[in-house]
Amino acid sequence: MNSIAKSLLKSAKHGRAAWLRSRSDPSGKRHPRKLVLGIETSCDDTGAAVVDDTGCVLGEALHCQKEVHLQTGGIIPVVAQQLHRENIERVVKEALGASGVSIPDLTAVATTVKPGLALSLGVGLQYSLGLVSKYQKPFIPIHHMEAHALTVRLTHHLEFPFLVLLLSGGHCLLAVAQEVSDFLLLGQSIDIAPGDMLDKVVLLNVARRLSLRKHPECHSMAGGKAIEHLAQAGNRQQLVLRLPMQQYRNCDFSFSGLQNIVNNTITQKEKEEGIQEGEILSCVKDIAAAVQHAVAVHIMQRTYRAMLFCMKNSILSSKNATLVASGGVASNQYIRKGLQTLADVNGFAFLCPPPRLCTDNGVMIAWNGIERLRAGLGVLHSTEGIRYEPKAPLGIDISKRVAADSIKVPRLKKMQWLAS
């Protein structure tokens, strides 16, 4: 992170801290600060952080498994599990050491318990239960997607409610955050998530077919990052991809059909250029640009409908209309630019956590722990019977109500972003 980004994040933290202090006690009395250790192992990153109730990140550490999984062409759960086991104690100690906080000083331990890879979740939960048992600390089980949704409240002065778009390796959903742990689910992916396509499916079936691992600019990048990088120099108009779910007026997503279209397109281009699988197509940058654009427009169309639905049904008002985007795929700058334009056109404020807090990390888990601690929600003094859940819905599903409204979305091609 460059110096400007660090300065902005530091300012946001200080502003957030002052805001929280002003809300805490009208009498101005000081209270012992609450300290939460957050532990994240839902997929392939081992993260830990200590955050206090003013929103100050006291210490954090992260071990990324990307290099290992690049060699195997994707995440292998048993490999991810073993790497979590090897690194979790070190990562937690590094976060605690950087914070200057010892375990006895902690108010609670917060850990991701759902959703995610079962083997990965199990490592984090087992380690955390050992800590809370040894030091007799309260335990706060965390929903991974709730943590992504609320991360923005760590860095911005944002009140409930707000519309949130979560884009990650395993999830894609639209929801209204009404309060901590109170969400209305408007729509979600009916098959795979955009991150699954760009970072995994693209890596396995497209990036490998395009030989991105052999491309001099992309050899150390995962599929999604490589696609974003190459797309910057590509011409998306050289290839038109059919967008998913155009006939369905709901807020659900689908990316598997787009994946198949891309695979078929690559096969056709290979025949046209007379090359074998594994060789680099001359149009690789154009394909990357077209894929990225199709994903972005699909996301924008569903988000547009969610905005219109929320305004029509007075779930949000013009005074508090805010769109938040979070999750790993929300780090994609092309998608962010499109969402910013969409928000501007509809009179919504648009907020994103810093890119480093969009991907999986311990900070968002610790902050979600602080949010739940302040709200008095889900703080356990006994962990008997606690289990991890590989699959877990977020909030109350009202997607059928969204579909019943059958809101027509205006054409997006009029937006300046699409011509850029």
Side-chain angles (χ1 to χ4, degrees):
M1 187 164 52
N2 61 37
S3 58
I4 296 177
K6 287 180 178 178
S7 177
L8 289 172
L9 183 57
K10 184 177 180 180
S11 297
K13 288 176 183 176
H14 285 312
R16 171 77 191 176
W19 178 62
L20 284 172
R21 284 195 296 270
S22 70
R23 290 169 22 130
S24 59
D25 190 339
S27 69
K29 293 180 180 179
R30 292 192 176 187
H31 300 280
R33 64 174 177 171
K34 295 178 173 62
L35 301 166
V36 172
L37 167 66
I39 297 176
E40 156 63 20
T41 64
S42 67
C43 190
D44 60 333
D45 287 339
T46 311
V50 178
V51 176
D52 71 13
D53 55 354
T54 69
C56 181
V57 180
L58 302 177
E60 59 180 303
L62 182 72
H63 175 79
C64 181
Q65 302 179 6
K66 182 189 73 171
E67 293 299 326
V68 173
H69 297 303
L70 275 174
Q71 299 301 318
T72 58
I75 298 172
I76 299 175
V78 291
V79 175
Q81 178 191 45
Q82 182 58 34
L83 291 172
H84 282 307
R85 285 174 173 168
E86 292 174 0
N87 291 284
I88 188 168
E89 185 170 10
R90 175 183 58 80
V91 168
V92 169
K93 286 183 176 180
E94 285 183 8
L96 288 168
S99 71
V101 173
S102 62
I103 297 178
D105 296 327
L106 294 172
T107 307
V109 175
T111 303
T112 306
V113 300
K114 60 184 176 181
L117 297 177
L119 296 179
S120 295
L121 289 170
V123 175
L125 180 57
Q126 182 181 27
Y127 183 84
S128 300
L129 293 182
L131 281 184
V132 299
S133 175
K134 180 178 180 180
Y135 293 95
Q136 294 297 294
K137 295 294 177 181
F139 180 66
I140 308 175
I142 299 296
H143 191 299
H144 184 76
M145 303 312 291
E146 178 182 309
H148 272 307
L150 299 185
T151 300
V152 70
R153 282 169 46 87
L154 171 67
T155 56
H156 296 80
H157 302 180
L158 180 61
E159 297 280 5
F160 295 108
F162 55 87
L163 177 63
V164 60
L165 170 66
L166 300 181
L167 305 165
S168 72
H171 302 275
C172 181
L173 61 86
L174 280 158
V176 176
Q178 299 190 114
E179 291 289 345
V180 177
S181 194
D182 183 3
F183 292 81
L184 298 177
L185 181 64
L186 306 181
Q188 60 189 321
S189 177
I190 63 174
D191 40 56
I192 62 176
D196 196 17
M197 178 182 177
L198 294 174
D199 282 338
K200 300 175 186 175
V201 178
V202 171
L203 179 62
L204 290 168
N205 297 325
V206 180
R208 182 179 293 169
R209 292 281 294 278
L210 294 177
S211 296
L212 297 191
R213 289 288 302 282
K214 298 179 181 179
H215 198 288
E217 298 176 27
C218 308
H219 68 279
S220 63
M221 298 180 184
K225 193 64 178 177
I227 292 294
E228 181 180 5
H229 176 77
L230 292 176
Q232 294 175 4
N235 182 357
R236 64 174 177 78
Q237 296 178 336
Q238 293 296 319
L239 181 66
V240 178
L241 301 175
R242 188 174 74 251
L243 295 174
M245 301 186 73
Q246 294 298 287
Q247 69 274 34
Y248 298 103
R249 292 184 179 180
N250 56 31
C251 287
D252 289 333
F253 303 83
S254 173
F255 296 93
S256 61
L258 183 58
Q259 169 204 332
N260 292 333
I261 291 173
V262 174
N263 285 346
N264 293 335
T265 299
I266 292 171
T267 299
Q268 180 61 35
K269 293 294 183 181
E270 287 173 346
K271 291 179 180 178
E272 292 176 5
E273 295 192 13
I275 66 174
Q276 300 298 315
E277 182 176 327
E279 296 178 345
I280 299 178
L281 284 168
S282 64
C283 59
V284 59
K285 293 182 179 181
D286 296 338
I287 293 176
V291 171
Q292 178 177 252
H293 183 73
V295 169
V297 172
H298 180 45
I299 290 170
M300 288 174 64
Q301 286 179 336
R302 318 317 274 187
T303 304
Y304 201 165
R305 181 171 288 110
M307 290 176 167
L308 296 175
F309 173 83
C310 288
M311 300 303 286
K312 174 188 174 183
N313 292 279
S314 300
I315 296 173
L316 298 175
S317 69
S318 57
K319 294 181 179 180
N320 66 357
T322 300
L323 170 65
V324 170
S326 191
V329 180
S331 297
N332 181 293
Q333 295 303 305
Y334 188 80
I335 293 175
R336 279 199 185 199
K337 182 180 178 182
L339 292 171
Q340 178 69 70
T341 301
L342 181 65
D344 292 344
V345 167
N346 286 278
F348 273 63
F350 179 60
L351 298 175
C352 287
R356 73 181 190 89
L357 295 182
C358 279
T359 53
D360 295 347
N361 60 87
V363 173
M364 71 180 195
I365 306 304
W367 173 247
N368 197 178
I370 289 290
E371 291 263 37
R372 284 180 161 267
L373 201 60
R374 291 172 61 89
L377 295 170
V379 182
L380 306 180
H381 295 275
S382 171
T383 57
E384 184 177 356
I386 189 72
R387 299 286 185 273
Y388 58 80
E389 301 174 46
K391 295 183 179 181
L394 179 67
I396 299 171
D397 189 344
I398 63 168
S399 58
K400 290 183 179 179
R401 180 181 164 191
V402 177
D405 271 13
S406 190
I407 297 174
K408 184 178 180 180
V409 172
R411 296 175 68 86
L412 289 173
K413 73 176 184 179
K414 296 180 181 179
M415 293 186 181
Q416 183 180 0
W417 169 79
L418 295 174
S420 60

